Amino acid sequence: DMKVAYRPSHADATYDAKYGVRAIAGGGRSSARETIGRVAAGAVARKILEKYNGVEVLAYVSKVQDIGCDVNDSSFTREEVDSN
């Protein structure tokens, strides 16, 4: 029953824990339908910034709770990000 169980591979449980909002029917800020616009806008912005301003945007998650990673910020490349 969707009123009790969280959907597998969705952000329902995380969103509920963080914001106290339960979107049983789907949707909300953790919805793929909602997120796709942000992802597309970010991809376009990344290309524009690189083409017209020479700015390369790189990002990674360095730590989730007590699980971390060692990344050398001065040598880390887009190829490493894209390969993950």
Side-chain angles (χ1 to χ4, degrees):
D1 186 11
M2 291 303 295
K3 293 178 184 174
V4 179
Y6 291 107
R7 296 176 298 167
S9 300
H10 286 78
D12 295 356
T14 307
Y15 197 79
D16 188 14
K18 186 170 184 177
Y19 300 107
V21 175
R22 188 72 202 278
I24 296 169
R29 291 186 58 170
S30 61
S31 166
R33 292 180 301 274
E34 166 66 26
T35 305
I36 190 65
R38 292 190 193 109
V39 173
V44 170
R46 178 172 141 174
K47 289 181 180 288
I48 290 171
L49 286 169
E50 187 169 5
K51 182 174 181 175
Y52 295 106
N53 300 93
V55 174
E56 182 178 39
V57 178
L58 298 172
Y60 62 91
V61 176
S62 62
K63 186 175 182 181
V64 175
Q65 199 155 355
D66 60 344
I67 302 170
C69 66
D70 294 319
V71 175
N72 183 342
D73 292 336
S74 62
S75 65
F76 142 82
T77 66
R78 177 175 289 167
E79 288 76 27
E80 289 177 286
V81 174
D82 291 343
S83 72
N84 274 306

Coordinates of all heavy atoms in Angstrom, one line a residue:
D1 N 0.8 -1.2 0.0 CA 0.0 0.0 0.0 C 0.9 1.2 0.0 O 1.8 1.4 0.8 CB -0.9 0.0 1.2 CG -1.9 1.1 1.2 OD1 -2.1 1.8 0.2 OD2 -2.6 1.2 2.3
M2 N 0.7 2.2 -0.9 CA 1.5 3.4 -1.1 C 1.4 4.3 0.1 O 2.3 5.1 0.3 CB 1.1 4.1 -2.3 CG 1.5 3.4 -3.6 SD 3.3 3.0 -3.7 CE 3.9 4.6 -3.8
K3 N 0.3 4.2 0.9 CA 0.2 5.1 2.1 C 1.2 4.6 3.2 O 1.5 5.4 4.1 CB -1.2 5.0 2.6 CG -2.2 5.7 1.7 CD -3.6 5.6 2.2 CE -4.6 6.1 1.2 NZ -6.0 5.9 1.6
V4 N 1.7 3.4 3.1 CA 2.6 2.9 4.2 C 4.0 2.7 3.7 O 4.9 3.1 4.3 CB 2.0 1.5 4.7 CG1 2.9 0.9 5.7 CG2 0.6 1.7 5.2
A5 N 4.1 2.1 2.5 CA 5.5 1.8 2.0 C 6.0 2.9 1.1 O 5.3 3.5 0.3 CB 5.4 0.5 1.1
Y6 N 7.3 3.1 1.2 CA 8.0 4.0 0.3 C 8.3 3.3 -1.0 O 8.6 2.1 -1.1 CB 9.2 4.6 0.9 CG 9.0 5.5 2.1 CD1 9.3 5.0 3.4 CD2 8.5 6.7 1.9 CE1 9.0 5.9 4.4 CE2 8.3 7.6 3.0 CZ 8.5 7.1 4.3 OH 8.3 7.9 5.3
R7 N 8.3 4.1 -2.1 CA 8.6 3.5 -3.4 C 10.1 3.2 -3.6 O 10.9 4.0 -3.2 CB 8.1 4.4 -4.6 CG 6.6 4.7 -4.6 CD 6.2 5.7 -5.6 NE 6.9 7.0 -5.4 CZ 6.9 8.0 -6.2 NH1 6.4 7.8 -7.4 NH2 7.4 9.1 -5.9
P8 N 10.4 2.0 -4.0 CA 11.9 1.7 -4.2 C 12.5 2.6 -5.2 O 11.9 3.0 -6.2 CB 11.9 0.2 -4.7 CG 10.5 -0.2 -4.8 CD 9.6 0.9 -4.4
S9 N 13.7 3.0 -5.0 CA 14.5 3.8 -5.9 C 13.9 5.2 -6.1 O 14.2 5.8 -7.2 CB 14.7 3.1 -7.3 OG 15.4 1.9 -7.1
H10 N 13.2 5.7 -5.2 CA 12.6 7.0 -5.3 C 13.1 7.8 -4.0 O 13.6 7.2 -3.1 CB 11.1 7.0 -5.3 CG 10.6 6.6 -6.7 ND1 10.5 5.3 -7.0 CD2 10.1 7.3 -7.7 CE1 10.0 5.2 -8.2 NE2 9.7 6.4 -8.7
A11 N 13.0 9.1 -4.1 CA 13.4 9.9 -2.9 C 12.3 10.1 -1.9 O 12.4 11.0 -1.1 CB 13.9 11.2 -3.5
D12 N 11.3 9.3 -1.9 CA 10.1 9.5 -1.0 C 10.6 9.5 0.4 O 10.2 10.4 1.2 CB 9.1 8.4 -1.2 CG 8.4 8.5 -2.6 OD1 8.7 9.4 -3.3 OD2 7.6 7.5 -2.8
A13 N 11.3 8.5 0.9 CA 11.7 8.4 2.3 C 12.6 9.6 2.7 O 12.4 10.2 3.8 CB 12.4 7.1 2.5
T14 N 13.6 9.9 1.8 CA 14.5 11.0 2.1 C 13.7 12.3 2.2 O 13.9 13.1 3.2 CB 15.5 11.1 1.0 OG1 16.2 9.9 0.9 CG2 16.6 12.1 1.4
Y15 N 12.8 12.6 1.3 CA 12.1 13.8 1.3 C 11.2 13.9 2.5 O 11.1 15.0 3.1 CB 11.3 13.9 0.0 CG 10.8 15.3 -0.3 CD1 11.6 16.2 -0.9 CD2 9.5 15.7 0.0 CE1 11.2 17.5 -1.2 CE2 9.0 17.0 -0.3 CZ 9.9 17.9 -0.9 OH 9.4 19.1 -1.2
D16 N 10.5 12.8 2.9 CA 9.7 12.8 4.0 C 10.5 13.0 5.3 O 10.1 13.8 6.2 CB 9.0 11.4 4.1 CG 7.9 11.4 5.2 OD1 7.5 12.4 5.7 OD2 7.5 10.2 5.5
A17 N 11.7 12.4 5.4 CA 12.5 12.6 6.6 C 13.0 14.0 6.7 O 13.0 14.6 7.8 CB 13.7 11.6 6.6
K18 N 13.4 14.6 5.6 CA 14.0 15.9 5.6 C 12.9 17.0 5.8 O 13.1 18.0 6.5 CB 14.8 16.2 4.4 CG 15.5 17.5 4.4 CD 16.5 17.6 3.2 CE 17.3 18.8 3.3 NZ 18.3 18.9 2.2
Y19 N 11.8 16.9 5.0 CA 10.8 18.0 5.0 C 9.5 17.7 5.7 O 8.7 18.6 5.8 CB 10.5 18.4 3.6 CG 11.8 18.9 2.8 CD1 12.4 18.1 1.9 CD2 12.3 20.1 3.1 CE1 13.5 18.6 1.2 CE2 13.5 20.6 2.5 CZ 14.0 19.8 1.5 OH 15.2 20.2 0.8
G20 N 9.3 16.4 6.1 CA 8.0 16.1 6.7 C 6.8 16.1 5.7 O 5.7 16.2 6.1
V21 N 7.1 15.9 4.4 CA 6.1 15.9 3.4 C 6.0 14.6 2.7 O 7.1 14.1 2.3 CB 6.3 17.0 2.3 CG1 5.3 16.9 1.2 CG2 6.3 18.4 3.0
R22 N 4.9 14.0 2.6 CA 4.7 12.7 2.0 C 3.9 12.8 0.8 O 2.7 13.1 0.8 CB 4.0 11.8 3.0 CG 4.0 10.3 2.6 CD 5.4 9.7 2.7 NE 5.4 8.5 1.9 CZ 5.0 7.3 2.2 NH1 4.5 7.1 3.4 NH2 5.1 6.3 1.3
A23 N 4.5 12.7 -0.4 CA 3.8 12.8 -1.7 C 3.4 11.4 -2.2 O 4.1 10.8 -2.9 CB 4.7 13.5 -2.7
I24 N 2.3 10.9 -1.6 CA 1.9 9.5 -1.9 C 1.7 9.2 -3.4 O 2.1 8.2 -3.9 CB 0.7 9.1 -1.1 CG1 1.0 9.2 0.4 CG2 0.2 7.7 -1.5 CD1 -0.2 9.1 1.3
A25 N 1.1 10.2 -4.1 CA 0.8 10.0 -5.5 C 2.0 10.3 -6.4 O 1.9 10.3 -7.6 CB -0.3 10.9 -5.9
G26 N 3.2 10.6 -5.8 CA 4.3 11.0 -6.6 C 4.3 12.6 -6.8 O 3.5 13.3 -6.2
G27 N 5.3 13.0 -7.5 CA 5.3 14.5 -7.7 C 6.1 15.1 -6.6 O 6.8 14.5 -5.8
G28 N 6.0 16.4 -6.5 CA 6.8 17.1 -5.5 C 8.2 17.4 -6.0 O 8.6 17.1 -7.1
R29 N 9.0 18.0 -5.1 CA 10.3 18.4 -5.6 C 11.3 17.3 -5.8 O 12.3 17.4 -6.5 CB 11.0 19.3 -4.5 CG 10.2 20.7 -4.5 CD 10.9 21.6 -3.6 NE 12.3 21.8 -4.0 CZ 13.1 22.7 -3.5 NH1 12.7 23.5 -2.6 NH2 14.3 22.8 -3.9
S30 N 11.0 16.1 -5.3 CA 11.9 14.9 -5.6 C 11.4 14.1 -6.8 O 12.0 13.1 -7.1 CB 11.9 14.0 -4.3 OG 10.6 13.5 -4.0
S31 N 10.4 14.6 -7.5 CA 9.9 13.9 -8.7 C 10.8 14.1 -9.9 O 11.3 15.2 -10.1 CB 8.5 14.5 -9.0 OG 8.1 14.0 -10.3
A32 N 10.9 13.0 -10.6 CA 11.7 13.1 -11.9 C 11.1 14.2 -12.8 O 11.8 14.9 -13.5 CB 11.9 11.8 -12.5
R33 N 9.8 14.2 -12.8 CA 9.1 15.2 -13.7 C 9.5 16.6 -13.3 O 9.6 17.5 -14.1 CB 7.6 15.0 -13.6 CG 7.1 13.7 -14.2 CD 5.6 13.6 -14.1 NE 5.1 13.6 -12.8 CZ 5.0 12.6 -12.0 NH1 5.4 11.4 -12.4 NH2 4.5 12.7 -10.8
E34 N 9.7 16.9 -12.0 CA 10.1 18.2 -11.5 C 11.6 18.4 -11.7 O 12.0 19.5 -12.0 CB 9.7 18.3 -10.0 CG 10.3 19.4 -9.3 CD 9.8 20.8 -9.7 OE1 8.7 20.9 -10.2 OE2 10.6 21.7 -9.5
T35 N 12.4 17.4 -11.5 CA 13.8 17.5 -11.5 C 14.4 17.7 -12.9 O 15.4 18.4 -13.1 CB 14.5 16.3 -10.8 OG1 13.9 16.1 -9.5 CG2 16.0 16.4 -10.7
I36 N 13.8 17.1 -13.9 CA 14.3 17.1 -15.3 C 14.6 18.6 -15.8 O 15.5 18.8 -16.5 CB 13.4 16.3 -16.3 CG1 14.1 16.2 -17.6 CG2 12.1 17.0 -16.4 CD1 15.4 15.3 -17.5
G37 N 13.7 19.5 -15.4 CA 13.9 20.9 -15.8 C 15.2 21.5 -15.3 O 15.9 22.2 -16.0
R38 N 15.5 21.2 -14.0 CA 16.7 21.7 -13.4 C 17.9 21.0 -14.0 O 18.9 21.7 -14.2 CB 16.7 21.4 -11.9 CG 15.6 22.2 -11.2 CD 15.8 22.0 -9.6 NE 14.7 22.5 -9.0 CZ 13.8 21.8 -8.4 NH1 14.0 20.5 -8.3 NH2 12.8 22.3 -7.8
V39 N 17.8 19.8 -14.3 CA 19.0 19.1 -14.9 C 19.2 19.6 -16.3 O 20.4 19.9 -16.7 CB 18.7 17.5 -15.0 CG1 19.8 16.8 -15.8 CG2 18.6 17.0 -13.6
A40 N 18.2 19.8 -17.1 CA 18.3 20.3 -18.5 C 18.9 21.8 -18.4 O 19.8 22.1 -19.2 CB 17.0 20.3 -19.2
A41 N 18.4 22.6 -17.5 CA 18.9 24.0 -17.4 C 20.3 24.0 -17.0 O 21.1 24.8 -17.5 CB 18.0 24.7 -16.4
G42 N 20.7 23.1 -16.1 CA 22.1 23.0 -15.7 C 23.0 22.6 -16.8 O 24.1 23.1 -17.0
A43 N 22.6 21.7 -17.6 CA 23.4 21.2 -18.8 C 23.6 22.4 -19.8 O 24.7 22.6 -20.3 CB 22.7 20.0 -19.4
V44 N 22.5 23.1 -20.0 CA 22.6 24.2 -21.0 C 23.5 25.3 -20.4 O 24.4 25.9 -21.1 CB 21.2 24.8 -21.3 CG1 21.3 26.1 -22.1 CG2 20.4 23.8 -22.1
A45 N 23.3 25.6 -19.1 CA 24.2 26.7 -18.5 C 25.6 26.3 -18.5 O 26.5 27.1 -18.7 CB 23.7 26.9 -17.0
R46 N 25.9 25.0 -18.2 CA 27.3 24.5 -18.2 C 28.0 24.7 -19.6 O 29.1 25.2 -19.7 CB 27.3 23.0 -17.9 CG 28.7 22.3 -17.9 CD 28.5 21.0 -17.3 NE 29.3 20.0 -18.0 CZ 29.5 18.8 -17.7 NH1 28.9 18.3 -16.7 NH2 30.2 18.0 -18.4
K47 N 27.2 24.4 -20.7 CA 27.8 24.6 -22.0 C 28.0 26.1 -22.4 O 29.0 26.5 -23.0 CB 26.8 24.0 -23.1 CG 26.9 22.5 -23.0 CD 26.0 21.9 -24.1 CE 26.0 20.4 -24.1 NZ 27.2 19.8 -24.5
I48 N 27.0 27.0 -22.0 CA 27.1 28.4 -22.2 C 28.3 29.0 -21.5 O 29.1 29.8 -22.0 CB 25.8 29.1 -21.9 CG1 24.7 28.7 -22.9 CG2 26.0 30.6 -21.8 CD1 23.3 29.2 -22.5
L49 N 28.4 28.6 -20.2 CA 29.5 29.2 -19.4 C 30.9 28.8 -20.0 O 31.8 29.6 -20.0 CB 29.4 28.7 -17.9 CG 28.3 29.4 -17.1 CD1 28.1 28.6 -15.8 CD2 28.7 30.8 -16.8
E50 N 31.0 27.5 -20.4 CA 32.3 27.1 -21.0 C 32.5 27.8 -22.3 O 33.6 28.3 -22.6 CB 32.3 25.6 -21.2 CG 33.6 25.0 -21.6 CD 33.7 23.5 -21.5 OE1 32.7 22.9 -21.2 OE2 34.8 23.0 -21.7
K51 N 31.5 27.9 -23.2 CA 31.7 28.4 -24.5 C 32.0 29.9 -24.5 O 32.9 30.4 -25.2 CB 30.5 28.1 -25.4 CG 30.6 28.6 -26.8 CD 29.5 28.2 -27.7 CE 29.7 28.7 -29.1 NZ 28.6 28.3 -30.0
Y52 N 31.3 30.7 -23.8 CA 31.4 32.1 -23.8 C 32.3 32.7 -22.7 O 32.7 33.9 -22.8 CB 30.0 32.8 -23.7 CG 29.2 32.4 -24.9 CD1 28.1 31.6 -24.9 CD2 29.5 33.0 -26.2 CE1 27.4 31.2 -26.0 CE2 28.7 32.7 -27.3 CZ 27.7 31.8 -27.2 OH 26.9 31.5 -28.3
N53 N 32.5 32.0 -21.6 CA 33.3 32.6 -20.5 C 34.5 31.7 -20.1 O 35.3 32.1 -19.2 CB 32.4 32.7 -19.3 CG 31.3 33.7 -19.6 OD1 30.2 33.2 -20.0 ND2 31.5 35.0 -19.4
G54 N 34.7 30.6 -20.8 CA 35.8 29.7 -20.5 C 35.7 29.1 -19.1 O 36.7 28.7 -18.5
V55 N 34.5 29.0 -18.5 CA 34.3 28.5 -17.2 C 33.9 27.0 -17.2 O 33.0 26.7 -18.0 CB 33.2 29.3 -16.4 CG1 32.9 28.6 -15.1 CG2 33.6 30.7 -16.3
E56 N 34.7 26.2 -16.5 CA 34.4 24.8 -16.5 C 33.7 24.5 -15.1 O 34.3 24.8 -14.1 CB 35.6 23.9 -16.7 CG 35.3 22.4 -16.7 CD 36.6 21.6 -16.9 OE1 37.7 22.0 -16.4 OE2 36.5 20.6 -17.6
V57 N 32.6 23.9 -15.1 CA 31.9 23.6 -13.9 C 32.0 22.1 -13.6 O 31.7 21.2 -14.4 CB 30.3 23.9 -14.0 CG1 29.6 23.5 -12.7 CG2 30.1 25.4 -14.3
L58 N 32.6 21.8 -12.4 CA 32.8 20.5 -12.0 C 32.3 20.3 -10.5 O 32.5 21.2 -9.7 CB 34.3 20.1 -12.0 CG 35.0 20.1 -13.3 CD1 36.5 19.9 -13.1 CD2 34.5 19.1 -14.2
A59 N 31.7 19.2 -10.2 CA 31.2 19.0 -8.9 C 31.2 17.5 -8.6 O 31.2 16.7 -9.4 CB 29.7 19.5 -8.8
Y60 N 31.2 17.3 -7.3 CA 31.1 15.9 -6.8 C 30.7 15.9 -5.3 O 30.7 16.9 -4.7 CB 32.5 15.2 -6.9 CG 33.6 15.8 -6.1 CD1 33.8 15.4 -4.7 CD2 34.4 16.8 -6.6 CE1 34.8 16.0 -4.0 CE2 35.4 17.4 -5.8 CZ 35.6 17.0 -4.5 OH 36.6 17.6 -3.8
V61 N 30.2 14.8 -4.9 CA 29.8 14.6 -3.5 C 31.0 14.1 -2.7 O 31.5 13.0 -3.1 CB 28.6 13.7 -3.3 CG1 28.3 13.4 -1.9 CG2 27.4 14.2 -4.1
S62 N 31.5 14.8 -1.8 CA 32.7 14.4 -1.1 C 32.4 13.5 0.1 O 33.3 12.8 0.6 CB 33.5 15.6 -0.6 OG 32.8 16.4 0.3
K63 N 31.2 13.6 0.7 CA 30.9 12.8 1.9 C 29.4 12.7 2.0 O 28.6 13.6 1.8 CB 31.5 13.5 3.1 CG 31.3 12.8 4.4 CD 32.0 13.5 5.5 CE 31.9 12.7 6.8 NZ 32.6 13.3 7.9
V64 N 29.0 11.5 2.3 CA 27.6 11.2 2.7 C 27.6 10.5 4.1 O 28.2 9.4 4.2 CB 26.9 10.2 1.7 CG1 25.5 9.9 2.1 CG2 26.9 10.9 0.3
Q65 N 27.1 11.3 5.0 CA 27.2 10.9 6.4 C 28.6 10.6 6.8 O 29.4 11.5 6.8 CB 26.2 9.7 6.8 CG 25.9 9.7 8.2 CD 24.6 9.0 8.5 OE1 23.9 8.6 7.7 NE2 24.3 8.8 9.8
D66 N 29.0 9.4 7.1 CA 30.4 9.1 7.5 C 31.2 8.4 6.4 O 32.3 8.0 6.7 CB 30.4 8.3 8.8 CG 29.7 6.9 8.7 OD1 29.0 6.7 7.7 OD2 29.9 6.1 9.5
I67 N 30.7 8.4 5.2 CA 31.4 7.7 4.1 C 31.9 8.9 3.2 O 31.2 9.7 2.7 CB 30.5 6.8 3.3 CG1 29.9 5.7 4.1 CG2 31.2 6.3 2.1 CD1 28.8 4.9 3.5
G68 N 33.2 8.9 3.1 CA 33.9 10.0 2.3 C 34.7 9.5 1.2 O 34.9 8.3 1.0
C69 N 35.3 10.4 0.5 CA 36.2 10.1 -0.6 C 37.4 11.0 -0.6 O 37.3 12.1 -0.1 CB 35.5 10.1 -2.0 SG 35.0 11.7 -2.5
D70 N 38.5 10.6 -1.2 CA 39.7 11.5 -1.3 C 39.8 11.9 -2.8 O 40.0 11.1 -3.7 CB 41.0 10.7 -1.0 CG 41.0 10.3 0.5 OD1 40.6 11.2 1.3 OD2 41.4 9.2 0.8
V71 N 39.6 13.2 -3.0 CA 39.6 13.8 -4.3 C 40.6 14.9 -4.3 O 40.5 15.8 -3.5 CB 38.2 14.3 -4.8 CG1 38.3 15.0 -6.2 CG2 37.3 13.1 -4.9
N72 N 41.5 15.0 -5.3 CA 42.5 16.1 -5.4 C 41.8 17.1 -6.2 O 41.7 17.0 -7.4 CB 43.8 15.6 -6.0 CG 44.8 16.7 -6.1 OD1 44.5 17.9 -6.0 ND2 46.1 16.3 -6.2
D73 N 41.3 18.2 -5.6 CA 40.6 19.3 -6.3 C 41.4 19.9 -7.4 O 40.9 20.4 -8.4 CB 40.2 20.3 -5.4 CG 39.1 19.9 -4.4 OD1 38.4 18.9 -4.8 OD2 38.9 20.4 -3.3
S74 N 42.7 20.0 -7.3 CA 43.6 20.7 -8.3 C 43.8 19.8 -9.5 O 44.2 20.3 -10.6 CB 44.9 21.1 -7.7 OG 45.6 20.0 -7.3
S75 N 43.6 18.5 -9.5 CA 43.8 17.7 -10.7 C 42.6 16.9 -11.1 O 42.7 16.2 -12.1 CB 45.0 16.7 -10.4 OG 44.6 15.8 -9.4
F76 N 41.5 17.1 -10.5 CA 40.3 16.4 -10.8 C 39.7 16.9 -12.1 O 39.7 18.1 -12.4 CB 39.4 16.5 -9.6 CG 38.0 16.7 -9.7 CD1 37.1 15.6 -9.9 CD2 37.4 18.0 -9.5 CE1 35.8 15.8 -9.9 CE2 36.1 18.1 -9.5 CZ 35.2 17.1 -9.7
T77 N 39.2 16.0 -13.0 CA 38.8 16.4 -14.4 C 37.4 16.1 -14.7 O 36.8 15.2 -14.0 CB 39.7 15.7 -15.4 OG1 39.4 14.3 -15.4 CG2 41.2 16.0 -15.2
R78 N 36.8 16.7 -15.7 CA 35.5 16.4 -16.2 C 35.4 14.9 -16.6 O 34.3 14.2 -16.4 CB 35.0 17.2 -17.3 CG 33.6 16.9 -17.8 CD 33.1 17.8 -18.9 NE 32.8 19.1 -18.3 CZ 32.6 20.2 -19.0 NH1 32.6 20.1 -20.3 NH2 32.3 21.3 -18.4
E79 N 36.4 14.3 -17.2 CA 36.4 12.9 -17.6 C 36.2 12.0 -16.4 O 35.5 11.0 -16.5 CB 37.7 12.6 -18.3 CG 37.9 13.2 -19.7 CD 38.2 14.7 -19.7 OE1 38.8 15.2 -18.7 OE2 37.8 15.4 -20.6
E80 N 36.8 12.4 -15.3 CA 36.6 11.6 -14.0 C 35.1 11.7 -13.6 O 34.5 10.7 -13.2 CB 37.5 12.0 -12.9 CG 38.9 11.7 -13.1 CD 39.8 12.2 -12.0 OE1 40.0 13.5 -12.0 OE2 40.3 11.4 -11.2
V81 N 34.5 12.9 -13.6 CA 33.1 13.0 -13.3 C 32.2 12.2 -14.2 O 31.4 11.5 -13.8 CB 32.7 14.5 -13.3 CG1 31.2 14.7 -13.0 CG2 33.5 15.3 -12.3
D82 N 32.4 12.4 -15.5 CA 31.6 11.8 -16.5 C 31.7 10.2 -16.5 O 30.8 9.5 -16.9 CB 31.9 12.3 -17.9 CG 31.4 13.8 -18.0 OD1 30.6 14.2 -17.2 OD2 31.8 14.5 -19.0
S83 N 32.8 9.7 -16.0 CA 33.1 8.3 -16.0 C 32.3 7.6 -14.8 O 32.2 6.4 -14.8 CB 34.6 7.9 -15.9 OG 35.1 8.2 -14.7
N84 N 31.8 8.4 -13.9 CA 31.2 7.8 -12.7 C 29.7 7.6 -13.0 O 28.9 8.4 -13.3 CB 31.4 8.6 -11.5 CG 32.6 8.2 -10.8 OD1 32.8 7.0 -10.5 ND2 33.5 9.2 -10.6

